[in-house]
Amino acid sequence: MCNLATQFYLKMGQNSIYQGNISWQSPSNIALIKYWGKHGMQLPHNPSLSMTLSASSTKTTLYYKKKQRADKNIDLTFYFEGQASEVFEKRIASYLSSILKEFPFLCDFQLRIESSNTFPHSSGIASSASAFSAMALCIMGLKGIITGSINRDECYQQASYLARLGSGSAARSVYGGYTIWGEVKGMETYSDLYACPVQSDIHLEFQSFNDAILIVSGKNKKVGSSAGHALMEKNPFAQARYQQAMDHTIEMLKVLKSGNMNRFIEIVEQEALTLHGLMMSSEPGFILMKQETIDIMDRIRNFRETRQIPVAFTLDAGPNVHLLYPASSRKEVLRLINEELLHLCEKGRWIDDAIGNGPELFNE
Ligand code: DP6
């Protein structure tokens, strides 16, 4: 059994149980089956399945120093991209306070967290998934140092649990490849409490998949995810949606194994359109797509039909389009982006991303 605490000690030279720092870089993820609707303590109404990315990530360093005198308060300073950030500091301090029951050691230290993203600020890319995943792993690192007895699988599972409490989709960013968060009918492995890597084999076609993130707008969303999830409580289509997501997840597991590209494309696009359909059918309904979003989706479908090249679009809770394609079609897809899609992107911006291996621990 690989002991993660030992790994931390080896990698962290100067660190001790009194003082040190832990750094993790954690990627964002793109959901193929969407999480939309939650209850209780950040529990999903349906399973979601995502592909972990590699280029879009957050690097977080947790500096810790034992307090001279113990108290029951979180002592935190937070820096985002080199600047002290009161807004983030408040949000993270309240998050840390909320997990104190399970992680009481957090109030034994003065904590300083420094975080930065590899993707440009205001690119419209959700950073909560990569940010909470990186932070959860840092917290588990500290736990590993203090207890000296935490095994690798447990560490990742608890990190995913912790990340979920910060932001649901963050639970899935703790692992690389394809990940599932949420109970799946008839399968014991998957849980509402934390995400797990997809357990079945992945067909060669899906092992090196790419995601071109086409930035239609980098502005902040009009409706935040949490408000959007809350609107599902009264959405008249909610129950049918949760059932559809369950069916899609079970089928997607088979698709990823068999390599059925046509069905992959159908499910992924239906999920994206359903997500936005749910937003529009909420009360009040809201529209996050822009004209350019629809234009890009049309062009992607047209390219697929006329050229017989397997490409699919998906959307987050925003106007940007994720263009998913197998590595084998890269040359043609790059031409499509340059010739037909780039002028529809804000300032011609896009991020060249792909499936990734998951978070990395790196201490200088
Ligand atoms: C549309 O994870 O951002 O991206 O749990 O409130 O932080 P909170 O929500 P969040 O919701 C993500 C919604 C989504 C779909 C998905 O990633 O599954």
Side-chain angles (χ1 to χ4, degrees), residues 1-6 8-9 140-152 154-155 158:
M1 186 163 57
C2 174
N3 187 322
L4 204 68
T6 318
F8 284 127
Y9 280 123
M140 288 311 298
L142 181 53
K143 185 174 174 183
I145 287 166
I146 295 166
T147 62
S149 62
I150 198 166
N151 87 40
R152 192 185 177 83
E154 251 177 62
C155 170
Q158 278 198 44

Side-chain angles (χ1 to χ4, degrees), residues 19-30:
Q19 183 168 359
N21 62 79
I22 305 153
S23 287
W24 278 92
Q25 181 152 341
S26 197
S28 186
N29 68 76
I30 178 67

